[in-house]
């Protein structure tokens, strides 16, 4: 498993009491887990779990910095939600950093 897996929006937020009955009620537990970055209809679609991580900017940056394979990440402009991009991994290639108006892109310096 990947070191980013525990931060998966789907894995840590899908069963949160804060999201019962399809509502996104505010609660302390969800705030601590950054679950306001969880988007139920997007983070699980067609049986596929998204790579979205529910983390703040500094947390995404630290996770990317700690991974030698990470080359950068996209950070949602308004929510604690990001996507790491890396060389290699299971896919063998470089994951695409797609331009998106609701995300800011960050590129790690000194990539191998």
């Amino acid at each position: 498993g990947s070191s980013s897996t525990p931060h998966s929006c789907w894995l840590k937020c899908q069963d949160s009491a804060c999201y019962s009955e399809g509502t996104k009620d505010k609660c302390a537990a969800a705030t601590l887990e950054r679950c306001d970055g969880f988007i139920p209809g997007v983070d699980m679609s067609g049986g596929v779990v998204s790579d979205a991580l529910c983390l703040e900017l500094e947390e995404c940056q630290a996770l990317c910095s700690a991974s030698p394979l990470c080359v950068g990440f996209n950070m949602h402009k308004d929510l604690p939600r990001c996507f790491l991009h890396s060389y290699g991994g299971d896919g063998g290639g470089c994951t695409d950093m797609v331009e998106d108006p609701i995300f800011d892109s960050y590129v790690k310096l000194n990539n191998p």
Side-chain angles (χ1 to χ4, degrees):
S2 168
S3 62
S4 60
T5 300
H7 305 293
S8 161
C9 290
W10 174 255
L11 293 177
K12 73 179 183 178
C13 301
Q14 65 167 323
D15 293 327
S16 169
C18 299
Y19 297 95
S20 61
E21 299 169 17
T23 61
K24 290 179 91 174
D25 299 329
K26 297 292 182 188
C27 77
T31 301
L32 286 174
E33 291 296 328
R34 314 290 190 255
C35 283
D36 41 345
F38 174 53
I39 305 173
V42 174
D43 288 330
M44 170 62 87
S45 179
V48 178
V49 175
S50 83
D51 292 329
L53 304 179
C54 283
L55 296 171
E56 296 289 351
L57 173 61
E58 296 77 16
E59 295 165 321
C60 280
Q61 192 170 25
L63 198 59
C64 184
S65 294
S67 170
L69 293 178
C70 184
V71 296
F73 62 96
N74 286 0
M75 184 77 207
H76 196 283
K77 292 180 186 283
D78 300 315
L79 299 172
R81 180 179 178 84
C82 66
F83 294 87
L84 297 185
H85 301 285
S86 61
Y87 288 119
D90 297 333
C94 185
T95 58
D96 294 332
M97 290 190 64
V98 179
E99 294 272 337
D100 190 307
I102 61 170
F103 285 87
D104 289 323
S105 294
Y106 295 84
V107 177
K108 185 171 160 184
L109 300 178
N110 301 320
N111 284 317

